[in-house]
Amino acid sequence: MRRRLILVGVLAMTLAACGGSSSSTSPSASDAGSSSPSAGASGSAQPPASNQPSDTPAASLPAATSTATAICDGISLRKQASSAGARVKVVNSGTAVHVVATVNGTAYTAGSCGASGNTWLKIDKVAGKTAQAAFGVKYVYAAAGFFQ
């Protein structure tokens, strides 16, 4: 069942990225803490870019030079602060990262897990390993709306 939900989410996001229509709705405050199995996959599989301003409250973003924890499954870590940036790893809920800064990047849509926005985390360690040792780059980036 979980695989079907993930597949449906990925297909919906792919369709939306290709110019098709998507029936997803904006997450509500009650959805932000949800850990639905399908939520992370649909929210992180190449979400379509948007020119809408970030609706992520600043207070809910992880602070720079802190540890943040993934709240969804299937979150992409990328080489740039962009949904189009090369993906280097996909992490699941509970994965700890070390944040060195928050940066503005392209807008992303969260789906039913996390919060949409355009703020990205600049990360130097993932699950205790440096990005340099694990991925060959000094930093990786992840959409801030999927971390707390």
Side-chain angles (χ1 to χ4, degrees):
M1 180 68 171
R2 181 177 179 181
R3 287 184 183 168
R4 285 184 187 159
L5 291 174
I6 291 171
L7 180 59
V8 168
V10 169
L11 291 174
M13 295 306 293
T14 302
L15 179 62
C18 294
S21 62
S22 175
S23 62
S24 65
T25 59
S26 297
S28 66
S30 64
D31 292 333
S34 171
S35 61
S36 166
S38 66
S42 65
S44 62
Q46 298 270 348
S50 167
N51 291 331
Q52 305 251 341
S54 171
D55 60 355
T56 304
S60 68
L61 295 175
T65 63
S66 67
T67 299
T69 304
I71 59 172
C72 307
D73 286 339
I75 302 169
S76 296
L77 302 181
R78 300 181 180 275
K79 288 187 177 182
Q80 291 118 3
S82 167
S83 298
R87 186 181 302 156
V88 296
K89 173 115 175 124
V90 175
V91 297
N92 290 319
S93 179
T95 302
V97 298
H98 184 258
V99 179
V100 297
T102 55
V103 298
N104 287 328
T106 61
Y108 53 87
T109 304
S112 62
C113 180
S116 299
N118 65 349
T119 304
W120 293 71
L121 304 179
K122 185 175 182 180
I123 298 166
D124 68 344
K125 292 180 184 174
V126 178
K129 294 184 180 181
T130 66
Q132 185 70 47
F135 316 117
V137 293
K138 191 168 183 177
Y139 302 106
V140 293
Y141 298 85
F146 299 114
F147 288 83
Q148 63 178 7

